């Protein structure tokens, strides 16, 4: 059991504003340009976010891992906010593994790191074990704090294996994020989240959770009640309620901050989240 992970008096709210799955045409409010991304980051920080999980897009709004664009996005978000900057190494389901390893060249504070392969709707989100090991060791070498993304109970088992084999991440803290409700992964239910939390390695010091689509609220309520943190954003959720589209990521962050306040675990500041995650001092 993850004894340390249950104790946090405050809530780390991560915003995942864009993702790689939604098309700009289908959802024009999705922030895809650098300007939109920075504008979202600023407003989400003001609403209570402390970390941003970034995917970027090209000039045609398509997902890209182009190194100079990644570096530019990291620099622009750092210049405009104090948010902890986490780059996605998951990219889109079409990104080659070699390109996903190069994401760390952009020198983020944190990177997502999914510990296993999962079906992802009609596609496959590929994370073969040798890739997971290489990415993890690279994060240790580059002093980047990984956030272990757990889509399935098997990914929790793989996290045990990873930590047993390669030791603790840079900074010594172990932070995870359950991503529930992807078609192919664990369902977005309180029971599934609680099963995942019960299976975490002892070394885990904090965990958060996000529920895709309409599972966002039950997952957030469960995470807050169980001492976890929350991730919200248009990467995962495009409606506030049935028939009510999200018009800005800020709405989802504000709602999460209100829930955290009600749970008497108010939102952490970016500085508090740096302390929690032990990201590299800058
Ligand atoms: N876009 C998904 C295939 C991550 O950012 O690390 C993978 C994903 C996970 O979003
Ligand atoms: Zn992502």
């Amino acid at each position: 059991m993850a004894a340390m992970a249950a104790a946090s008096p405050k809530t780390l709210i991560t915003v995942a504003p864009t993702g790689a799955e939604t098309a700009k045409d289908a959802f024009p409010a999705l922030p895809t340009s650098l300007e939109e991304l920075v504008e979202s980051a600023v407003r989400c920080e003001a609403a209570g976010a402390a970390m941003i999980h970034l995917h970027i897009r090209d000039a045609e709004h398509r997902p890209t891992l182009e190194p100079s664009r990644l570096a530019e996005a990291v620099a622009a978000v750092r210049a405009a906010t104090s948010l902890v900057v986490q780059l996605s190494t998951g990219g889109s389901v079409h990104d080659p593994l070699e390109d996903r390893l190069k994401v760390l060249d952009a020198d983020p504070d944190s990177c997502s790191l999914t510990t296993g392969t999962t079906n992802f709707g009609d596609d496959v989100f590929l994370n073969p074990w040798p890739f997971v090991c290489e990415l993890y060791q690279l994060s240790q070498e580059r002093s980047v704090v990984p956030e272990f993304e757990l889509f399935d109970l098997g990914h929790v088992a793989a996290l045990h294996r990873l930590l047993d084999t390669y030791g603790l991440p840079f900074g010594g803290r172990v932070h995870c994020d359950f991503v529930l409700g992807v078609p192919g992964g664990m369902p977005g239910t309180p029971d599934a989240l609680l099963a995942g939390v019960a299976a975490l390695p002892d070394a885990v010091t904090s965990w958060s959770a996000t529920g895709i689509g309409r599972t966002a609220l039950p997952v957030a309520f469960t995470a807050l009640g169980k001492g976890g943190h929350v991730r919200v954003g248009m990467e995962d959720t495009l409606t506030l309620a049935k028939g009510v589209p999200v018009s800005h990521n800020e709405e989802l962050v504000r709602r999460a901050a209100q829930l955290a306040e009600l749970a008497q675990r108010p939102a952490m500041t970016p500085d508090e989240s740096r302390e929690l995650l032990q990201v590299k001092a800058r």
Side-chain angles (χ1 to χ4, degrees):
M1 292 286 291
M4 277 186 70
S8 181
K10 287 186 138 187
T11 304
L12 166 61
I13 299 176
T14 299
V15 62
T18 309
E21 275 64 51
T22 301
K24 180 79 164 174
D25 285 354
F27 222 91
L30 194 74
T32 50
S33 70
L34 187 59
E35 292 68 30
E36 288 170 337
L37 210 50
V38 171
E39 189 267 351
S40 267
V42 169
R43 283 174 60 182
C44 288
E45 180 180 21
M51 176 151 76
I52 188 164
H53 168 86
L54 277 182
H55 290 252
I56 61 160
R57 303 289 177 104
D58 66 14
E60 276 75 50
H61 311 285
R62 291 175 306 220
T64 179
L65 293 179
E66 213 273 300
S68 63
R69 278 184 182 271
L70 282 169
E72 191 181 26
V74 170
V77 173
R78 278 201 185 124
T81 74
S82 308
L83 294 169
V84 175
V85 179
Q86 177 184 95
L87 284 181
S88 166
T89 65
S92 86
V93 288
H94 307 295
D95 284 318
L97 299 179
E98 315 83 78
D99 293 358
R100 290 168 53 195
L101 288 169
K102 290 193 194 120
V103 166
L104 296 197
D105 292 351
D107 196 26
D109 301 309
S110 172
C111 66
S112 59
L113 196 166
T114 300
T115 57
T117 294
T118 188
N119 282 320
F120 203 90
D122 294 343
D123 297 300
V124 176
F125 178 31
L126 201 62
N127 294 285
W129 182 244
F131 167 76
V132 170
C133 295
E134 192 176 347
L135 180 55
Y136 184 45
Q137 291 174 278
L138 198 60
S139 74
Q140 291 171 314
E141 276 166 34
R142 301 282 182 88
S143 311
V144 175
V145 173
E147 176 182 271
F148 299 104
E149 306 290 339
L150 308 169
F151 290 73
D152 218 335
L153 266 187
H155 296 177
V156 182
L159 177 60
H160 281 261
R161 185 181 174 199
L162 195 65
L163 296 174
D164 288 348
T165 309
Y166 297 104
L168 292 175
F170 169 76
R173 301 287 168 87
V174 182
H175 179 69
C176 305
D177 179 50
F178 291 95
V179 184
L180 303 180
V182 168
M186 282 191 282
T189 61
D191 286 347
L193 177 55
L194 294 175
V197 173
L200 287 173
D202 286 343
V204 169
T205 48
S206 57
W207 59 271
S208 69
T210 187
I212 302 297
R214 73 186 67 162
T215 73
L217 281 172
V219 167
F221 284 130
T222 308
L224 287 168
K226 187 70 181 163
H229 304 277
V230 292
R231 178 177 112 175
V232 295
M234 292 168 76
E235 171 165 349
D236 304 325
T237 308
L238 293 163
T239 55
L240 289 166
K242 196 166 181 206
V244 185
V246 175
S247 64
H248 196 284
N249 277 286
E250 177 192 35
E251 295 168 335
L252 292 166
V253 174
R254 201 183 310 117
R255 182 169 75 175
Q258 285 166 349
L259 296 181
E261 193 74 41
L262 272 176
Q264 300 189 5
R265 294 187 47 224
M268 258 179 212
T269 65
D271 278 350
E272 288 167 336
S273 75
R274 282 171 205 285
E275 176 68 26
L276 175 80
L277 303 172
Q278 289 291 300
V279 297
K280 186 164 85 176
R282 290 181 186 278

